[in-house]
Amino acid sequence: MTNKWPQFITRDLGDSDADRAEMDRRWRAYDRDMRALIAKGGLHQDDDGWWVETATGTLVGPDPDIERPLSDTDLARLRPMEQVAPELATRARGRPKSDNPKQPVTIRLDADLVETLRATGKGWQSRVNDMLRTAMDL
């Protein structure tokens, strides 16, 4: 099955000069094909800069002006985050640590009980925790 929309695939490329040349060749083809589609009409741009087929709502691809490979000039201008935004570089990442972290446990329960609990949807394990706290008067 072939895709009717232009594609810019680079996952098979490495960092060699030949790979960079191939990425540039693929980008020029993608850019040319996307610009031709945009000029032809029937597409609109969503809030994230992606082109969408107006008739079907099918996602076509990123705007070539936004999603382009970095040039040598672009790469030369890059700076480490510690220099550009040190307040962000030193900030802890991820979810804040809990003052009272939950402990993972292994417990064997009847299959129908687990099925019933899971059927209550996302967050079922937290609800089980709440039920146990209530049952234990905690």
Side-chain angles (χ1 to χ4, degrees):
M1 180 174 127
T2 59
N3 191 329
K4 68 179 185 174
W5 308 117
Q7 295 185 349
F8 181 56
I9 298 171
T10 60
R11 66 178 160 260
D12 60 321
L13 300 177
D15 280 337
S16 72
D17 288 340
D19 286 335
R20 282 191 289 277
E22 175 61 14
M23 181 172 70
D24 187 54
R25 185 198 66 75
R26 291 179 191 180
W27 175 254
R28 284 192 311 272
Y30 174 80
D31 185 54
R32 179 193 64 238
D33 294 347
M34 277 300 295
R35 289 183 191 283
L37 271 175
I38 293 164
K40 190 167 86 173
L43 302 177
H44 68 275
Q45 212 168 6
D46 70 7
D47 293 337
D48 295 323
W50 281 69
W51 289 95
V52 178
E53 185 178 34
T54 302
T56 64
T58 303
L59 192 65
V60 175
D63 187 333
D65 287 331
I66 297 171
E67 298 292 329
R68 62 177 174 74
L70 296 177
S71 67
D72 290 339
T73 304
D74 295 330
L75 290 171
R77 288 194 316 238
L78 294 178
R79 297 288 174 261
M81 188 168 180
E82 290 81 11
Q83 291 177 10
V84 178
E87 68 283 359
L88 295 177
T90 58
R91 193 170 75 188
R93 294 183 183 180
R95 188 176 191 174
K97 299 291 181 198
S98 172
D99 292 335
N100 186 20
K102 293 186 177 170
Q103 300 294 313
V105 297
T106 300
I107 184 172
R108 299 179 69 75
L109 300 170
D110 295 331
D112 61 335
L113 176 60
V114 174
E115 183 180 324
T116 301
L117 291 166
R118 282 190 173 144
T120 65
K122 187 175 179 177
W124 70 272
Q125 291 164 319
S126 294
R127 285 190 293 280
V128 169
N129 185 79
D130 295 341
M131 287 182 235
L132 289 171
R133 291 187 70 77
T134 299
M136 300 300 295
D137 289 325
L138 295 175

